[in-house]
Amino acid sequence: MKTYFKTTFIWIGLSILTLVLWIVGLMIGNVIFPSDLMKASDEPGAGGLPIMLIICGLNTAAIIYFIHQSHQRCWQLVVTLSFAIFSIQYFMSQIETLWFNDSLKMELNSIWALVAGGAISSTLFSVLAVWITGNFKKGEQLISKGEMMPFSNTLTMTALMAIIIWPLIYFLAGYFIAWQFEEVRIYYSGSSEKASFLFMMKENIASHLYSFQVLRGILWTLIGLLVFRSIKGKWVGKGIVLALLLSIVGCSQLLLPNPIMPEPVRLAHLLETSLSGVVLGVGMAWLFARTSPKKTDMAIV
């Protein structure tokens, strides 16, 4: 019972801290890259703050679970955590914003402000989260004694993930979830017409969107592999951590109304990206487990 209350208090405290650092990061990013970002953040109105608190609570819960499942400690955990949060929550989403910015029409300085502010808030939060959860204390740390994944295995796995698995998840979810909403089709194409999946794939290849997703697939593999190797236990548990990070930390911001996307488009993307995040997280864990060495003995230091 005592542990339960302690974890709850830590979760509440870190959730509030997440909100504070989120705002501070946006403010600093906006100073570095002056834009209308802070003004746009205020537009949701009075209902925006409760939604932001919900988002921060969800993100914090996923991150605390990751910290609990990690075998890393101290600054090694800080580096892994800050890189994972920044990459999943800010970098990977904003490079896609740049690709689709003809439709989104987002000010470039706002994108750079989000990325810069995200890097600052992710780093500060990671240091404080590791400290508050007691993982800066010197103690037992699990270190893998198993062999590193052979380079040839890494290349094969990355190619499989980037060229086939990630694009398949992305385009199937995009078409059979988001593209089924008429508002989404009008928003991105200017037409309510729903072409076939095969026709859309031909268009995606011709527009180089497929090539762009191959690049993102490589980046997702590198991010996922870093998180996977930092988590203790079997691949199913690692898959749960990855799924939570990708579906919650990576997508929960879409719960917040914004001036860029109409509500039906935003909610369609929330459903699409959260479900594909779960599939990607579990899929990566399964693939990594089968291309890694079978024996991964852990030593306590």
Side-chain angles (χ1 to χ4, degrees):
M1 184 65 70
K2 183 178 179 181
T3 302
Y4 171 79
F5 281 116
K6 180 181 178 182
T7 303
T8 301
F9 282 127
I10 289 174
W11 170 67
I12 293 172
L14 284 177
S15 297
I16 296 171
L17 186 62
T18 300
L19 178 59
V20 172
L21 292 177
W22 188 1
I23 296 171
V24 169
L26 289 178
M27 291 174 65
I28 296 174
N30 201 56
V31 169
I32 299 172
F33 299 99
S35 67
D36 294 329
L37 183 62
M38 296 304 296
K39 180 181 177 182
S41 299
D42 294 335
E43 288 190 10
L49 183 59
I51 297 175
M52 289 176 72
L53 282 171
I54 291 172
I55 293 171
C56 291
L58 290 172
N59 288 357
T60 302
I63 291 167
I64 288 176
Y65 185 68
F66 170 43
I67 292 174
H68 177 72
Q69 294 299 114
S70 177
H71 61 73
Q72 296 179 341
R73 296 292 182 271
C74 299
W75 289 105
Q76 185 183 23
L77 179 56
V78 170
V79 172
T80 300
L81 185 60
S82 59
F83 179 81
I85 295 173
F86 171 71
S87 301
I88 295 170
Q89 189 171 12
Y90 296 98
F91 182 76
M92 292 298 287
S93 60
Q94 293 312 312
I95 61 172
E96 189 160 40
T97 298
L98 287 172
W99 180 272
F100 289 107
N101 210 30
D102 287 343
S103 298
L104 298 172
K105 295 179 173 58
M106 191 170 177
E107 185 183 10
L108 286 179
N109 262 22
S110 294
I111 297 175
W112 306 136
L114 277 171
V115 172
I120 293 167
S121 61
S122 298
T123 302
L124 292 176
F125 175 80
S126 297
V127 173
L128 292 171
V130 172
W131 175 61
I132 290 173
T133 55
N135 285 285
F136 262 128
K137 295 178 181 178
K138 291 183 178 180
E140 294 181 348
Q141 179 171 352
L142 295 172
I143 304 296
S144 175
K145 294 174 65 178
E147 297 178 0
M148 293 294 290
M149 184 186 300
F151 184 67
S152 59
N153 283 18
T154 304
L155 286 179
T156 302
M157 177 194 63
T158 303
L160 182 62
M161 178 63 66
I163 298 172
I164 299 176
I165 297 177
W166 164 246
L168 189 64
I169 294 171
Y170 178 86
F171 289 117
L172 285 176
Y175 183 82
F176 290 103
I177 299 177
W179 205 247
Q180 300 306 305
F181 291 79
E182 182 179 4
E183 295 85 355
V184 173
R185 298 195 298 272
I186 293 173
Y187 184 72
Y188 286 103
S189 69
S191 170
S192 61
E193 181 182 355
K194 184 168 65 175
S196 68
F197 178 72
L198 185 59
F199 176 83
M200 292 298 297
M201 282 306 303
K202 291 178 181 178
E203 291 291 305
N204 292 331
I205 293 172
S207 67
H208 304 294
L209 178 57
Y210 171 79
S211 301
F212 175 63
Q213 293 308 323
V214 169
L215 173 61
R216 290 186 79 222
I218 295 172
L219 297 176
W220 277 131
T221 304
L222 296 176
I223 295 166
L225 193 56
L226 176 70
V227 173
F228 179 86
R229 287 178 172 171
S230 71
I231 306 168
K232 58 192 175 186
K234 298 182 179 180
W235 77 266
V236 175
K238 297 182 179 190
I240 292 173
V241 174
L242 279 166
L244 289 174
L245 291 177
L246 295 174
S247 63
I248 295 178
V249 177
C251 308
S252 60
Q253 293 85 344
L254 288 170
L255 287 168
L256 186 68
N258 65 73
I260 306 299
M261 291 182 184
E263 185 170 344
V265 176
R266 175 177 60 83
L267 294 178
H269 280 311
L270 175 62
L271 179 62
E272 169 211 1
T273 56
S274 57
L275 289 177
S276 60
V278 171
V279 175
L280 177 62
V282 175
M284 283 198 295
W286 180 86
L287 181 62
F288 295 160
R290 274 147 187 76
T291 51
S292 299
K294 296 298 181 182
K295 293 184 178 180
T296 54
D297 297 332
M298 308 298 288
I300 298 177
V301 296

